[in-house]
Amino acid sequence: MLSIWPPSQRTRDAVIYRLMDTLSPGSVVSKRYGAISAAEVEDAARLIEKEAFDTIHGSSDSTSPGVEILQQYTNEITRQLLEYVGPPSR
């Protein structure tokens, strides 16, 4: 049987890479919420992914069927990202 939770390290690394792209100067997110320094992008992406993973993995819902748990993980990544970048800049 194929297990999709917890995600492999390769999958988690892909999420981190995508978050780095999302947080990089010049991205839509940085234009809307303000730029994060290039030096800070990787650390921020790793922190966001780790906190999202730890939150979902440690929750009582971490035994949910595959797609549901991945949706929870994705939603938590988005929540952590928005919490990290703060309110939109004006």
Side-chain angles (χ1 to χ4, degrees):
M1 181 174 182
L2 178 64
S3 174
I4 58 175
W5 188 263
S8 67
Q9 188 59 51
R10 182 177 174 188
T11 299
R12 292 182 69 191
D13 289 344
V15 168
I16 291 166
Y17 181 77
R18 182 65 182 124
L19 281 167
M20 288 171 59
D21 186 47
T22 300
L23 292 168
S24 294
S27 71
V28 172
V29 170
S30 70
K31 289 176 184 173
R32 179 163 185 186
Y33 292 92
I36 296 173
S37 72
E40 190 182 358
V41 167
E42 183 174 358
D43 289 340
R46 289 188 181 283
L47 177 67
I48 291 166
E49 190 284 331
K50 182 180 182 336
E51 288 184 4
F53 177 82
D54 289 348
T55 298
I56 298 303
H57 194 63
S59 76
S60 58
D61 291 341
S62 66
T63 58
S64 297
V67 173
E68 290 176 24
I69 192 75
L70 288 179
Q71 286 176 330
Q72 292 170 10
Y73 175 59
T74 302
N75 290 340
E76 186 62 23
I77 289 169
T78 301
R79 191 185 74 70
Q80 293 287 340
L81 173 67
L82 292 174
E83 187 175 298
Y84 187 87
V85 297
S89 41
R90 300 255 175 214

